[in-house]
mmCIF file of all heavy atoms in Angstrom:
data_model
loop_
_atom_site.group_PDB
_atom_site.id
_atom_site.type_symbol
_atom_site.label_atom_id
_atom_site.label_comp_id
_atom_site.label_asym_id
_atom_site.label_seq_id
_atom_site.Cartn_x
_atom_site.Cartn_y
_atom_site.Cartn_z
ATOM 1 N N GLY A 165 89.272 106.555 83.049
ATOM 2 C CA GLY A 165 89.555 107.277 84.252
ATOM 3 C C GLY A 165 90.628 108.332 84.083
ATOM 4 O O GLY A 165 90.520 109.469 84.521
ATOM 5 N N ASN A 166 91.773 107.929 83.462
ATOM 6 C CA ASN A 166 92.834 108.804 83.241
ATOM 7 C C ASN A 166 92.626 109.879 82.211
ATOM 8 O O ASN A 166 93.064 110.996 82.341
ATOM 9 C CB ASN A 166 94.122 107.993 82.924
ATOM 10 C CG ASN A 166 94.728 107.284 84.142
ATOM 11 O OD1 ASN A 166 95.247 107.905 85.049
ATOM 12 N ND2 ASN A 166 94.611 105.986 84.133
ATOM 13 N N LEU A 167 91.851 109.500 81.162
ATOM 14 C CA LEU A 167 91.482 110.521 80.145
ATOM 15 C C LEU A 167 90.587 111.601 80.788
ATOM 16 O O LEU A 167 90.683 112.770 80.476
ATOM 17 C CB LEU A 167 90.781 109.858 78.946
ATOM 18 C CG LEU A 167 91.605 109.266 77.896
ATOM 19 C CD1 LEU A 167 90.774 108.559 76.847
ATOM 20 C CD2 LEU A 167 92.504 110.320 77.235
ATOM 21 N N LEU A 168 89.667 111.125 81.660
ATOM 22 C CA LEU A 168 88.763 112.060 82.394
ATOM 23 C C LEU A 168 89.618 113.048 83.201
ATOM 24 O O LEU A 168 89.298 114.292 83.175
ATOM 25 C CB LEU A 168 87.796 111.271 83.254
ATOM 26 C CG LEU A 168 86.754 112.104 84.065
ATOM 27 C CD1 LEU A 168 85.942 112.898 83.057
ATOM 28 C CD2 LEU A 168 85.955 111.189 84.959
ATOM 29 N N ILE A 169 90.608 112.584 83.833
ATOM 30 C CA ILE A 169 91.467 113.496 84.699
ATOM 31 C C ILE A 169 92.163 114.496 83.786
ATOM 32 O O ILE A 169 92.157 115.675 84.125
ATOM 33 C CB ILE A 169 92.561 112.678 85.460
ATOM 34 C CG1 ILE A 169 91.894 111.931 86.612
ATOM 35 C CG2 ILE A 169 93.638 113.554 85.984
ATOM 36 C CD1 ILE A 169 92.830 110.978 87.352
ATOM 37 N N ILE A 170 92.681 114.019 82.655
ATOM 38 C CA ILE A 170 93.370 114.945 81.744
ATOM 39 C C ILE A 170 92.441 116.038 81.218
ATOM 40 O O ILE A 170 92.787 117.202 81.135
ATOM 41 C CB ILE A 170 94.053 114.154 80.583
ATOM 42 C CG1 ILE A 170 95.177 113.241 81.097
ATOM 43 C CG2 ILE A 170 94.617 115.107 79.521
ATOM 44 C CD1 ILE A 170 95.643 112.225 80.118
ATOM 45 N N ILE A 171 91.253 115.608 80.836
ATOM 46 C CA ILE A 171 90.263 116.529 80.310
ATOM 47 C C ILE A 171 89.800 117.562 81.349
ATOM 48 O O ILE A 171 89.754 118.818 81.089
ATOM 49 C CB ILE A 171 89.053 115.793 79.721
ATOM 50 C CG1 ILE A 171 89.398 114.988 78.463
ATOM 51 C CG2 ILE A 171 87.877 116.759 79.365
ATOM 52 C CD1 ILE A 171 88.325 113.990 78.023
ATOM 53 N N LEU A 172 89.552 117.086 82.551
ATOM 54 C CA LEU A 172 89.110 117.939 83.637
ATOM 55 C C LEU A 172 90.150 118.992 84.011
ATOM 56 O O LEU A 172 89.916 120.184 84.224
ATOM 57 C CB LEU A 172 88.768 117.118 84.893
ATOM 58 C CG LEU A 172 87.452 116.365 84.823
ATOM 59 C CD1 LEU A 172 87.260 115.467 86.048
ATOM 60 C CD2 LEU A 172 86.235 117.318 84.727
ATOM 61 N N VAL A 173 91.415 118.522 84.134
ATOM 62 C CA VAL A 173 92.507 119.450 84.478
ATOM 63 C C VAL A 173 92.734 120.492 83.345
ATOM 64 O O VAL A 173 93.060 121.601 83.623
ATOM 65 C CB VAL A 173 93.811 118.619 84.741
ATOM 66 C CG1 VAL A 173 95.015 119.559 84.927
ATOM 67 C CG2 VAL A 173 93.644 117.791 85.976
ATOM 68 N N SER A 174 92.563 120.019 82.135
ATOM 69 C CA SER A 174 92.776 120.983 80.951
ATOM 70 C C SER A 174 91.662 121.987 80.837
ATOM 71 O O SER A 174 91.975 123.076 80.426
ATOM 72 C CB SER A 174 92.858 120.132 79.672
ATOM 73 O OG SER A 174 93.970 119.180 79.771
ATOM 74 N N THR A 175 90.466 121.610 81.141
ATOM 75 C CA THR A 175 89.345 122.468 80.818
ATOM 76 C C THR A 175 88.861 123.307 82.058
ATOM 77 O O THR A 175 88.302 124.446 81.944
ATOM 78 C CB THR A 175 88.139 121.670 80.340
ATOM 79 O OG1 THR A 175 87.799 120.662 81.291
ATOM 80 C CG2 THR A 175 88.492 120.980 78.977
ATOM 81 N N SER A 176 89.128 122.807 83.295
ATOM 82 C CA SER A 176 88.623 123.491 84.456
ATOM 83 C C SER A 176 89.743 124.507 84.972
ATOM 84 O O SER A 176 90.808 124.077 85.378
ATOM 85 C CB SER A 176 88.263 122.536 85.575
ATOM 86 O OG SER A 176 87.832 123.168 86.751
ATOM 87 N N LYS A 177 89.345 125.714 85.064
ATOM 88 C CA LYS A 177 90.313 126.744 85.536
ATOM 89 C C LYS A 177 90.652 126.587 87.038
ATOM 90 O O LYS A 177 91.773 126.878 87.503
ATOM 91 C CB LYS A 177 89.761 128.167 85.294
ATOM 92 C CG LYS A 177 89.713 128.493 83.811
ATOM 93 C CD LYS A 177 89.245 129.965 83.680
ATOM 94 C CE LYS A 177 89.244 130.398 82.217
ATOM 95 N NZ LYS A 177 88.765 131.737 82.008
ATOM 96 N N ASN A 178 89.704 126.017 87.824
ATOM 97 C CA ASN A 178 89.905 125.752 89.186
ATOM 98 C C ASN A 178 91.012 124.762 89.487
ATOM 99 O O ASN A 178 91.582 124.617 90.542
ATOM 100 C CB ASN A 178 88.640 125.367 89.913
ATOM 101 C CG ASN A 178 87.606 126.410 89.965
ATOM 102 O OD1 ASN A 178 87.951 127.633 89.959
ATOM 103 N ND2 ASN A 178 86.272 126.037 89.914
ATOM 104 N N LEU A 179 91.300 123.902 88.421
ATOM 105 C CA LEU A 179 92.261 122.842 88.568
ATOM 106 C C LEU A 179 93.600 123.195 87.895
ATOM 107 O O LEU A 179 94.470 122.332 87.798
ATOM 108 C CB LEU A 179 91.747 121.558 87.945
ATOM 109 C CG LEU A 179 90.466 120.968 88.551
ATOM 110 C CD1 LEU A 179 90.057 119.713 87.824
ATOM 111 C CD2 LEU A 179 90.585 120.723 90.002
ATOM 112 N N HIS A 180 93.739 124.423 87.568
ATOM 113 C CA HIS A 180 94.994 124.894 86.909
ATOM 114 C C HIS A 180 96.006 125.250 87.996
ATOM 115 O O HIS A 180 96.431 126.429 88.213
ATOM 116 C CB HIS A 180 94.779 126.080 85.989
ATOM 117 C CG HIS A 180 94.069 125.739 84.756
ATOM 118 N ND1 HIS A 180 93.695 126.600 83.804
ATOM 119 C CD2 HIS A 180 93.720 124.487 84.268
ATOM 120 C CE1 HIS A 180 93.108 125.956 82.806
ATOM 121 N NE2 HIS A 180 93.033 124.736 83.054
ATOM 122 N N THR A 181 96.388 124.221 88.782
ATOM 123 C CA THR A 181 97.361 124.382 89.932
ATOM 124 C C THR A 181 98.501 123.385 89.663
ATOM 125 O O THR A 181 98.324 122.420 88.936
ATOM 126 C CB THR A 181 96.698 124.200 91.241
ATOM 127 O OG1 THR A 181 96.276 122.772 91.275
ATOM 128 C CG2 THR A 181 95.515 125.078 91.527
ATOM 129 N N PRO A 182 99.731 123.579 90.271
ATOM 130 C CA PRO A 182 100.813 122.683 90.055
ATOM 131 C C PRO A 182 100.431 121.215 90.421
ATOM 132 O O PRO A 182 100.813 120.282 89.673
ATOM 133 C CB PRO A 182 101.842 123.219 91.059
ATOM 134 C CG PRO A 182 101.620 124.677 91.099
ATOM 135 C CD PRO A 182 100.107 124.831 91.034
ATOM 136 N N MET A 183 99.700 121.014 91.576
ATOM 137 C CA MET A 183 99.363 119.669 91.960
ATOM 138 C C MET A 183 98.543 118.892 90.937
ATOM 139 O O MET A 183 98.883 117.809 90.599
ATOM 140 C CB MET A 183 98.584 119.743 93.323
ATOM 141 C CG MET A 183 98.319 118.322 93.856
ATOM 142 S SD MET A 183 97.380 118.360 95.426
ATOM 143 C CE MET A 183 95.733 118.877 94.861
ATOM 144 N N TYR A 184 97.587 119.557 90.388
ATOM 145 C CA TYR A 184 96.712 118.961 89.398
ATOM 146 C C TYR A 184 97.441 118.823 88.026
ATOM 147 O O TYR A 184 97.123 117.916 87.254
ATOM 148 C CB TYR A 184 95.403 119.613 89.254
ATOM 149 C CG TYR A 184 94.486 119.436 90.421
ATOM 150 C CD1 TYR A 184 94.253 120.419 91.377
ATOM 151 C CD2 TYR A 184 93.876 118.195 90.636
ATOM 152 C CE1 TYR A 184 93.464 120.211 92.487
ATOM 153 C CE2 TYR A 184 92.990 117.959 91.676
ATOM 154 C CZ TYR A 184 92.818 118.986 92.576
ATOM 155 O OH TYR A 184 92.024 118.785 93.736
ATOM 156 N N PHE A 185 98.318 119.741 87.750
ATOM 157 C CA PHE A 185 99.137 119.618 86.540
ATOM 158 C C PHE A 185 100.007 118.383 86.640
ATOM 159 O O PHE A 185 100.102 117.619 85.656
ATOM 160 C CB PHE A 185 99.985 120.807 86.355
ATOM 161 C CG PHE A 185 101.018 120.758 85.224
ATOM 162 C CD1 PHE A 185 100.537 120.775 83.889
ATOM 163 C CD2 PHE A 185 102.421 120.607 85.492
ATOM 164 C CE1 PHE A 185 101.424 120.677 82.880
ATOM 165 C CE2 PHE A 185 103.240 120.508 84.436
ATOM 166 C CZ PHE A 185 102.812 120.555 83.169
ATOM 167 N N PHE A 186 100.648 118.065 87.745
ATOM 168 C CA PHE A 186 101.459 116.904 87.946
ATOM 169 C C PHE A 186 100.607 115.615 87.863
ATOM 170 O O PHE A 186 100.993 114.626 87.344
ATOM 171 C CB PHE A 186 102.249 116.945 89.182
ATOM 172 C CG PHE A 186 103.262 118.063 89.253
ATOM 173 C CD1 PHE A 186 103.389 118.821 90.429
ATOM 174 C CD2 PHE A 186 104.091 118.289 88.219
ATOM 175 C CE1 PHE A 186 104.383 119.820 90.463
ATOM 176 C CE2 PHE A 186 105.039 119.298 88.224
ATOM 177 C CZ PHE A 186 105.180 120.084 89.397
ATOM 178 N N ILE A 187 99.365 115.715 88.461
ATOM 179 C CA ILE A 187 98.459 114.583 88.422
ATOM 180 C C ILE A 187 98.098 114.254 86.925
ATOM 181 O O ILE A 187 97.983 113.070 86.574
ATOM 182 C CB ILE A 187 97.166 114.866 89.214
ATOM 183 C CG1 ILE A 187 97.510 114.858 90.726
ATOM 184 C CG2 ILE A 187 96.047 113.829 88.964
ATOM 185 C CD1 ILE A 187 96.366 115.271 91.648
ATOM 186 N N SER A 188 97.860 115.300 86.087
ATOM 187 C CA SER A 188 97.531 115.067 84.685
ATOM 188 C C SER A 188 98.709 114.375 83.978
ATOM 189 O O SER A 188 98.499 113.549 83.101
ATOM 190 C CB SER A 188 97.123 116.368 84.041
ATOM 191 O OG SER A 188 98.232 117.249 83.942
ATOM 192 N N GLN A 189 99.921 114.767 84.346
ATOM 193 C CA GLN A 189 101.137 114.125 83.697
ATOM 194 C C GLN A 189 101.227 112.696 84.164
ATOM 195 O O GLN A 189 101.554 111.824 83.343
ATOM 196 C CB GLN A 189 102.360 114.903 84.151
ATOM 197 C CG GLN A 189 102.503 116.284 83.573
ATOM 198 C CD GLN A 189 102.589 116.330 82.076
ATOM 199 O OE1 GLN A 189 103.453 115.650 81.487
ATOM 200 N NE2 GLN A 189 101.723 117.112 81.407
ATOM 201 N N LEU A 190 100.919 112.404 85.375
ATOM 202 C CA LEU A 190 100.846 111.019 85.890
ATOM 203 C C LEU A 190 99.797 110.223 85.168
ATOM 204 O O LEU A 190 99.986 109.019 84.856
ATOM 205 C CB LEU A 190 100.633 111.023 87.386
ATOM 206 C CG LEU A 190 100.781 109.663 88.072
ATOM 207 C CD1 LEU A 190 102.180 109.145 88.011
ATOM 208 C CD2 LEU A 190 100.335 109.707 89.562
ATOM 209 N N ALA A 191 98.686 110.870 84.861
ATOM 210 C CA ALA A 191 97.622 110.177 84.120
ATOM 211 C C ALA A 191 98.095 109.816 82.717
ATOM 212 O O ALA A 191 97.704 108.734 82.184
ATOM 213 C CB ALA A 191 96.350 111.110 84.044
ATOM 214 N N ILE A 192 98.855 110.661 82.088
ATOM 215 C CA ILE A 192 99.431 110.386 80.722
ATOM 216 C C ILE A 192 100.306 109.086 80.811
ATOM 217 O O ILE A 192 100.179 108.145 79.982
ATOM 218 C CB ILE A 192 100.139 111.544 80.171
ATOM 219 C CG1 ILE A 192 99.305 112.730 79.920
ATOM 220 C CG2 ILE A 192 100.888 111.173 78.881
ATOM 221 C CD1 ILE A 192 99.971 114.008 79.490
#
Side-chain angles (χ1 to χ4, degrees):
N166 285 290
L167 276 177
L168 181 61
I169 287 175
I170 295 169
I171 293 169
L172 286 175
V173 172
S174 301
T175 57
S176 177
K177 291 184 178 180
N178 293 330
L179 300 180
H180 288 176
T181 63
M183 183 179 73
Y184 287 106
F185 174 70
F186 294 135
I187 288 174
S188 67
Q189 292 297 307
L190 187 65
I192 295 173

